[in-house]
Amino acid sequence: MSGLGEFLRSRRARVSPQEAGLPATTGRRRTEGLRREEVAMLAGVSIEYYTRLEQGKQNNPGRPVLEAVAGVLRLDEDERRHLFELARLPVEATAPARPSRGIRAEVRRLLDIIRPYPAYVLSRANDLLAANEQGMKLLPGIEQWPAAARNTARYTFLHPDARRVYGNWEEVAAATVAHLRAAAGAHPDAEELTGLIDELSVKSGEFAGLWERYDVRARTNGRKRFQHPVVGRMTLSYEVLTVARSEGHRLVVYQAEPGTPDHDAMMLLGLATAAPS
């Protein structure tokens, strides 16, 4: 049996007729899970075609057929990708134009585990989706914005405190735009990205100028100098980690060398309160 056929057979064995929406039947079924003819019927193909598919005798199966079979067999994204790889077909992205902002509970717990190091989760468009206490306090003033408006690129260019908070604002601004260029190139139809870029282009001449430079660079690590209104001056390094099983979410964690003034200032973030206006 071919790898494709073996995979299909194993997946249909895991789907019950009830899960597939078929009426309950009486008596004992000889086949565990769905029968071949049931998969064929639900996918809208002939039993002969599906049988050849499982036997590895159907060359160049069509994409619509595989999409239909993947739906019947309730394949998740990893399984769907594997199905198309076995069929030697390119995998097309299925992420929606506006991806979910939801954060898994395990990732939220990780933010707490990382404390007292500042950390937050960003969407592919730099929306601030979640943060631990220190991560939120690292960007003073952003908590005053509605949750849906909190975005680190928007903060960099439009928040009145950003230039004072970032001691190396020019570097941060250039890196932010270069990252958005890379993200927009990877997801040209992403509405949340095009909307943010249009907004910043209109509201910030500096953003528009940097955008025209066409620098492209994904942000994976780096250093930022802060002039925090409560804990003072500190330079922190950061690492950007991809969140598994998410729609482009990134975990950003800041740190400093223990025993240094930078580390001491970072440790004070958990005790920081808003600076008087």
Side-chain angles (χ1 to χ4, degrees):
M1 181 181 294
S2 70
L4 175 61
E6 186 177 2
F7 179 65
L8 289 173
R9 185 170 182 173
S10 71
R11 295 308 92 179
R12 70 177 171 88
R14 293 175 51 178
V15 181
S16 70
Q18 290 74 28
E19 288 175 323
L22 295 174
T25 58
T26 58
R28 183 177 179 181
R29 292 171 60 93
R30 296 177 57 188
T31 302
E32 184 179 4
L34 292 175
R35 302 186 181 102
R36 283 178 177 172
E37 58 266 27
E38 291 170 334
V39 176
M41 177 191 68
L42 293 169
V45 299
S46 69
I47 178 61
E48 292 80 8
Y49 185 99
Y50 183 77
T51 299
R52 292 198 305 272
L53 199 61
E54 278 203 4
Q55 292 175 343
K57 298 177 181 179
Q58 181 62 48
N59 296 325
N60 302 318
R63 180 177 295 278
V65 171
L66 288 184
E67 292 284 9
V69 170
V72 171
L73 299 182
R74 304 166 68 89
L75 302 187
D76 62 23
E77 189 60 31
D78 290 337
E79 292 169 330
R80 176 183 173 275
R81 179 178 297 275
H82 187 61
L83 172 67
F84 277 80
E85 288 173 346
L86 289 173
R88 303 294 188 267
L89 286 174
V91 180
E92 293 183 348
T94 58
R98 186 171 293 276
S100 170
R101 294 172 60 93
I103 303 295
R104 288 187 284 113
E106 294 84 354
V107 178
R108 291 188 181 274
R109 282 198 296 270
L110 184 58
L111 287 171
D112 287 332
I113 293 171
I114 291 172
R115 294 177 60 190
Y117 293 92
Y120 46 69
V121 177
L122 300 178
S123 73
R124 65 189 183 187
N126 285 6
D127 292 326
L128 183 63
L129 303 179
N132 60 19
E133 182 182 9
Q134 288 81 359
M136 186 67 75
K137 290 180 177 179
L138 196 60
L139 305 174
I142 199 170
E143 77 285 350
Q144 298 172 2
W145 284 354
R150 295 171 188 169
N151 178 289
T152 56
R154 184 178 289 117
Y155 180 85
T156 299
F157 287 95
L158 301 185
H159 198 285
D161 293 338
R163 291 177 184 274
R164 294 191 297 272
V165 170
Y166 291 131
N168 57 335
W169 184 88
E170 290 81 5
E171 294 177 24
V172 173
T176 297
V177 176
H179 169 78
L180 286 178
R181 267 291 186 188
H187 307 282
D189 299 323
E191 295 179 1
E192 79 279 11
L193 274 167
T194 56
L196 175 68
I197 292 165
D198 289 345
E199 175 193 354
L200 296 180
S201 296
V202 170
K203 295 181 179 179
S204 170
E206 286 161 310
F207 177 90
L210 289 169
W211 186 256
E212 290 303 316
R213 282 168 41 176
Y214 221 112
D215 292 339
V216 180
R217 184 171 67 254
R219 301 184 76 172
T220 55
N221 63 344
R223 297 170 67 84
K224 290 182 182 178
R225 296 198 304 270
F226 293 88
Q227 183 60 52
H228 196 275
V230 177
V231 304
R233 187 176 301 172
M234 58 183 173
T235 299
L236 305 180
S237 62
Y238 64 88
E239 296 290 330
V240 182
L241 309 174
T242 300
V243 178
R245 300 188 182 279
S246 71
E247 296 169 356
H249 297 174
R250 292 165 291 135
L251 173 66
V252 185
V253 183
Y254 289 84
Q255 58 180 299
E257 183 70 27
T260 64
D262 295 323
H263 187 269
D264 293 342
M266 184 185 68
M267 291 295 101
L268 291 174
L269 276 175
L271 305 175
T273 57
S277 56

